[in-house]
Amino acid sequence: MTNFTDEDLDNYLQNQVDLRHRLVSKSVEDVQKIIKDLTAEISSKDARFQSIANSGVHNASLKVLSPTLYLISVPLQGLTGYKGRRTRQWRYYTLSGSRLLSPVREPEKLYQWLELESFVNPSQEWQDSLMSIEGDIVPAKVVNVFKKHLETSIKTCGLTSKVSMLESVGSVVRVAVETSEAQIEVELVPTVELMNYWPRRARWPRLFRRWPSTERARCIKSFGFNLMATSNYHWLLSFSRAEQVLLSNIDEDGGCRRKCYWVVRQLKEDIWCPGSKPVITAYHLQTLLFWTCEKYPCTRDWKDFRGCVLRLVQKLHKCVSQHYLRHYFVRSHNLLKYSNTNELDDVAKKINNFLDNPGTYVH
């Protein structure tokens, strides 16, 4: 078996990871500028949609799922003073507002219904039947309005040569953006940002945990969470701000957690799971890193660069082989529940080959 050293890993970081980061950073800059212009135009026509902030590669509204697949949340305005409340019976509608006679069932663990009554003083515009039905804010209706504005704004902003609409999958709005580096597929998701409120179903931090500290956990929860319009009826819980804070301070004790994450992410994109729509994304790896940090919270656990990389890869192999990766904040939800099992099994084989002879890949 060919092994590798810390020096090999540092060289790999410099020669492979840094190059990818520079290329992705340039594409992110190009995409953000274009989407900022489009959302600014949309906001000028409909104040319920806010222009995204151009805050660089670590902007919480943008997630790089793969080098050519981004997710951008588009903030919604006019919904303030959110308070969690017991929701009335779950209901289902057509987009025209007709009640559907489907069985009554609750959404999955990571989803919830959203009512105008959940907000202290929603703006009058949200009473519009194009957005809500009987007091329920319906994600598919919000997405439908946004999509129509987007199609018009692409022409108004003179971006038809750089941005093209893609066929929608479910209620997600997808566009292809031409950058100086590559064509990027961007998923645009209208999002309700809820500050200073933490959902009950996200029982975090857990009992007896030692990472992060109590003070850091309290700070992270103050950033609240988001509700994203990714399905017809229910809003998806997202913790992008909390995750960003966790990741940005992950090595404050001098450990090598972030370096390990970068190495494993590069291996995933180059060898185990390449392509524009990988079954394992950067978000899965980030979640795996958080779970590993919680299990190994001490500084001494993150001093051996080589050993920590192998540990993270072994944990990834276990998750992919078992088709199971718990969401970090809503632990009852499996992030791989709907992933293609054949693709997961193929990735597991590639990771196993790496573990049998890791030095071949790092060299």
Side-chain angles (χ1 to χ4, degrees):
M1 180 180 76
T2 306
N3 221 316
F4 58 88
T5 65
D6 284 8
E7 183 179 359
D8 293 328
L9 286 172
D10 284 327
N11 288 333
Y12 185 74
L13 276 172
Q14 183 175 355
N15 296 326
Q16 299 294 326
V17 179
D18 287 353
L19 174 62
R20 176 189 60 80
H21 187 76
R22 288 195 297 272
L23 293 175
V24 169
S25 296
K26 183 63 172 68
S27 292
V28 165
E29 183 180 341
D30 292 344
V31 167
Q32 282 193 319
K33 183 181 185 306
I34 290 172
I35 301 302
K36 181 183 178 183
D37 291 343
L38 287 172
T39 52
E41 175 65 21
I42 292 172
S43 184
S44 70
K45 299 290 192 298
D46 189 335
R48 291 171 296 192
F49 300 99
Q50 181 179 337
S51 174
I52 68 165
N54 193 2
S55 305
V57 69
H58 298 299
N59 182 7
S61 71
L62 186 149
K63 286 185 179 180
V64 178
L65 301 180
S66 80
T68 55
L69 177 62
Y70 300 172
L71 184 151
I72 297 180
S73 57
V74 179
L76 297 174
Q77 297 187 103
L79 297 169
T80 57
Y82 177 81
K83 295 293 182 184
R85 59 191 297 275
R86 288 188 176 276
T87 309
R88 47 193 171 165
Q89 188 179 42
W90 303 101
R91 298 182 309 285
Y92 298 85
Y93 308 93
T94 64
L95 287 182
S96 62
S98 303
R99 189 184 294 270
L100 292 177
L101 299 177
S102 60
V104 176
R105 59 182 175 86
E106 292 191 1
E108 294 192 42
K109 298 296 184 181
L110 212 60
Y111 289 83
Q112 72 171 59
W113 200 267
L114 188 61
E115 301 168 276
L116 286 170
E117 292 180 9
S118 297
F119 300 93
V120 174
N121 189 27
S123 63
Q124 187 63 35
E125 290 85 353
W126 284 99
Q127 308 291 339
D128 186 354
S129 61
L130 291 176
M131 293 288 202
S132 62
I133 301 175
E134 296 184 20
D136 298 319
I137 306 174
V138 182
K141 294 178 78 68
V142 175
V143 168
N144 193 42
V145 173
F146 175 75
K147 185 177 181 181
K148 290 179 180 178
H149 285 316
L150 180 62
E151 290 172 337
T152 302
S153 296
I154 291 173
K155 298 175 183 177
T156 304
C157 294
L159 291 170
T160 52
S161 63
K162 292 187 176 181
V163 183
S164 56
M165 301 290 296
L166 298 175
E167 183 179 351
S168 295
V169 178
S171 62
V172 176
V173 176
R174 300 164 56 240
V175 297
V177 178
E178 296 289 343
T179 73
S180 58
E181 303 298 331
Q183 183 183 85
I184 309 296
E185 180 177 324
V186 181
E187 296 181 353
L188 295 165
V189 186
T191 300
V192 182
E193 298 181 333
L194 305 171
M195 302 295 289
N196 298 309
Y197 187 90
W198 194 255
R200 296 187 185 94
R201 68 184 65 189
R203 300 183 182 280
W204 181 87
R206 285 161 281 278
L207 292 176
F208 308 117
R209 62 98 188 91
R210 292 177 290 168
W211 182 91
S213 67
T214 302
E215 295 75 16
R216 178 57 48 77
R218 187 180 298 114
C219 171
I220 288 171
K221 292 177 75 170
S222 72
F223 284 92
F225 71 111
N226 294 336
L227 292 174
M228 305 182 74
T230 61
S231 70
N232 285 336
Y233 306 106
H234 307 131
W235 294 78
L236 173 68
L237 277 73
S238 167
F239 302 85
S240 57
R241 288 186 300 277
E243 291 160 353
Q244 183 185 30
V245 176
L246 268 179
L247 193 61
S248 63
N249 295 281
I250 205 163
D251 282 327
E252 60 186 358
D253 62 357
C256 62
R257 300 168 187 84
R258 187 185 290 273
K259 289 169 63 177
C260 291
Y261 168 74
W262 283 340
V263 168
V264 174
R265 179 171 174 174
Q266 188 67 40
L267 289 166
K268 178 205 78 71
E269 292 174 353
D270 284 349
I271 303 167
W272 306 330
C273 196
S276 59
K277 293 186 179 180
V279 67
I280 299 296
T281 69
Y283 182 70
H284 292 117
L285 297 183
Q286 176 184 283
T287 301
L288 181 72
L289 178 64
F290 291 160
W291 280 117
T292 308
C293 289
E294 187 168 295
K295 186 173 182 179
Y296 298 95
C298 299
T299 302
R300 65 175 180 273
D301 295 326
W302 295 95
K303 292 297 185 182
D304 176 11
F305 189 15
R306 173 185 167 279
C308 291
V309 167
L310 289 175
R311 181 172 63 201
L312 200 58
V313 174
Q314 288 164 352
K315 289 189 173 298
L316 176 62
H317 180 258
K318 181 179 179 180
C319 289
V320 174
S321 299
Q322 296 178 348
H323 308 164
Y324 189 82
L325 174 59
R326 288 184 297 171
H327 189 281
Y328 184 65
F329 294 108
V330 184
R331 61 186 303 171
S332 58
H333 179 77
N334 175 18
L335 291 174
L336 300 179
K337 182 175 182 179
Y338 297 110
S339 300
N340 185 299
T341 55
N342 291 330
E343 291 182 19
L344 288 174
D345 291 340
D346 184 53
V347 172
K349 290 178 183 177
K350 292 178 180 178
I351 297 175
N352 188 63
N353 291 338
F354 170 86
L355 289 171
D356 285 341
N357 203 2
T360 302
Y361 299 88
V362 174
H363 284 299

